[in-house]
Amino acid sequence: MSEKNRILVVDDEAPVRRVLEEMLRSLDYAVLEAEDGAQTLALALHQQPDLILLDVGLPDLSGFEVAKLIRGRFDPTVLPIIIVTGRDRREERLKAVEAGANDFIGKPVDVTELKVRVAAQLRLKEAERLRRRHRAELERAVRERTQELLATLRRLREAQMETLFRLALAAEYKDDETGEHIQRVGSYCGILAAAAGLPAHQVHLLEVAGPMHDVGKIGIPDAILLKPGKLDPGEWEIMKTHTSIGHQLLSGSESEYLEVGASVALTHHERWDGAGYPQGLATEEIPIEGRICAIADVFDALTSERPYRPAFPVEQAVDMLRAGRGSQFDPGLLDLFIENLDRILSAKQKTQQGDLNER
């Protein structure tokens, strides 16, 4: 059997409290009593009754003042108040409403009216309690479902990133089967993008998309791609098509990673002075992701060992980059790259140690 609802009866006259208590107990309610405003506030705070029957004429505070103070702590749906008044006038009713009372009842109190009004307020309170519990359960369910969806999306994103990395690795496999080059380029791109003040999301996209810059090499014949000597003019023209091939492979997708990758693949061989390929874009006509990747790619190429030459020392590689400032490379981005060289070299070291787990 459920616990009885507790009604706080507030009246400065003991005989009135006795009568109301008998009525309420006959209606199967538990009863608390208070004779003034101070007791009422204390009981309301510490005993937390289910409803208050509040007389207007109290010795220290008026019932209206007490109701206002209680409303400062309790919502009407949490602690209903029924004002009890011997003056059944319109202005008294308005004061009761203004004070935050849920209802009012006149003296002498009729037991039937008391039964109806008290029961109505308790039903409303219970309905609100159930509504709030249901809302809390829904919110909890939504939070749990949201966390599940976010975890699923995170796993899908990680799987997509891994797939894209494998795709980029496939393009590099014949001459860099370790994949360290594409890891380093992605890391360098992220460092330079952050230094350039790009938003964190764009930095992340470029870290993932940067390694796809040479994915179009998949479409270049091995006789040209792996030729140990210098390419003749015709072979060079075919080699340059890896930019367009990469763009064709990656573009047209709803994936942000692929779209940024498509742009990087197409534009990372454009030059600041307009003498690059495949479109001959110049200065800021070149998307910033292409300008960033151009610097990252060339620096890594210069500082990496190749079958036909050893790696250049970092100082010499930086001098070679500076020689292309304002002609091959965006001068502002190149300056930022050199300013952040310590971070670049740290990323290079981590990659060589196989410690670059996050791209």
Side-chain angles (χ1 to χ4, degrees):
M1 185 174 179
S2 62
E3 186 179 345
K4 293 180 180 181
N5 289 115
R6 297 183 303 161
I7 312 299
L8 174 57
V9 174
V10 184
D11 198 294
D12 61 333
E13 297 181 19
V16 175
R17 296 200 301 274
R18 297 288 84 77
V19 171
L20 290 174
E21 179 183 0
E22 289 176 6
M23 288 182 178
L24 291 167
R25 291 191 186 281
S26 72
L27 298 172
D28 203 29
Y29 296 117
V31 179
L32 303 171
E33 294 184 23
E35 62 182 6
D36 58 31
Q39 286 185 358
T40 303
L41 293 172
L43 287 170
L45 289 173
H46 302 296
Q47 296 295 323
Q48 297 181 0
D50 296 295
L51 182 144
I52 300 178
L53 278 176
L54 180 59
D55 184 43
V56 172
L58 300 178
D60 52 352
L61 300 169
S62 73
F64 302 124
E65 291 173 317
V66 173
K68 287 180 180 179
L69 291 171
I70 291 173
R71 279 295 159 260
R73 298 294 297 271
F74 297 98
D75 186 89
T77 59
V78 174
L79 181 53
I81 297 174
I82 298 178
I83 292 288
V84 181
T85 176
R87 295 167 291 185
D88 191 13
R89 296 182 301 183
R90 182 174 180 273
E91 64 181 63
E92 294 288 317
R93 293 172 182 264
L94 290 176
K95 284 184 179 180
V97 172
E98 290 172 356
N102 300 68
D103 201 355
F104 39 82
I105 190 170
K107 290 182 178 179
V109 176
D110 176 77
V111 67
T112 301
E113 184 180 8
L114 179 67
K115 175 182 178 181
V116 171
R117 292 187 182 275
V118 170
Q121 291 303 320
L122 291 176
R123 281 196 300 271
L124 289 172
K125 176 179 177 176
E126 178 63 9
E128 178 62 18
R129 185 188 70 81
L130 292 175
R131 187 191 71 81
R132 290 186 179 187
R133 187 176 73 179
H134 180 61
R135 184 178 65 184
E137 290 173 351
L138 285 176
E139 289 175 349
R140 183 172 59 253
V142 168
R143 284 195 301 270
E144 291 174 355
R145 183 58 177 156
T146 299
Q147 290 303 314
E148 292 174 3
L149 288 173
L150 288 174
T152 299
L153 289 173
R154 185 165 53 251
R155 288 193 295 271
L156 288 172
R157 186 180 67 176
E158 290 170 355
Q160 183 184 35
M161 290 167 57
E162 180 65 19
T163 300
L164 296 176
F165 178 75
R166 297 294 176 181
L167 175 62
L169 184 61
E172 297 286 337
Y173 187 77
K174 293 174 183 177
D175 60 352
D176 182 21
E177 63 181 35
T178 65
E180 291 179 0
H181 169 64
I182 59 174
Q183 287 187 352
R184 289 192 297 267
V185 170
S187 182
Y188 300 166
C189 284
I191 293 170
L192 183 50
L198 298 187
H201 180 62
Q202 196 170 352
V203 171
H204 169 71
L205 287 176
L206 199 45
E207 286 177 332
V208 177
M212 291 183 277
H213 62 286
D214 276 341
V215 72
K217 286 182 178 179
I218 290 174
I220 303 301
D222 288 354
I224 295 175
L225 185 64
L226 303 179
K227 184 176 179 179
K230 185 177 180 180
L231 300 179
D232 64 36
E235 291 170 335
W236 178 239
E237 289 303 315
I238 293 173
M239 176 62 82
K240 289 196 294 186
T241 64
H242 79 276
T243 56
S244 301
I245 293 171
H247 182 261
Q248 291 169 6
L249 285 172
L250 301 176
S251 62
S253 170
E254 293 182 359
S255 167
E256 290 182 293
Y257 297 124
L258 290 178
E259 284 302 297
V260 176
S263 178
V264 167
L266 184 65
T267 63
H268 72 286
H269 282 297
E270 298 288 359
R271 291 171 53 105
W272 186 254
D273 61 8
Y277 64 89
Q279 297 173 299
L281 302 178
T283 63
E284 293 185 357
E285 292 177 341
I286 309 168
I288 191 167
E289 56 266 23
R291 287 179 271 145
I292 286 174
C293 188
I295 297 171
D297 184 32
V298 171
F299 177 77
D300 191 66
L302 292 173
T303 55
S304 299
E305 185 175 347
R306 289 290 182 262
Y308 49 86
R309 64 158 174 82
F312 289 104
V314 170
E315 295 79 5
Q316 187 176 353
V318 171
D319 287 341
M320 295 169 76
L321 289 177
R322 284 198 178 101
R325 184 183 186 278
S327 55
Q328 184 173 356
F329 306 116
D330 178 330
L333 289 176
L334 182 62
D335 292 344
L336 285 174
F337 186 87
I338 295 172
E339 288 172 14
N340 288 272
L341 191 59
D342 287 346
R343 294 181 61 199
I344 297 294
L345 296 178
S346 176
K348 180 180 178 66
Q349 182 66 26
K350 288 180 181 179
T351 307
Q352 291 172 338
Q353 294 173 349
D355 191 33
L356 193 64
N357 296 319
E358 295 184 4
R359 295 184 298 280

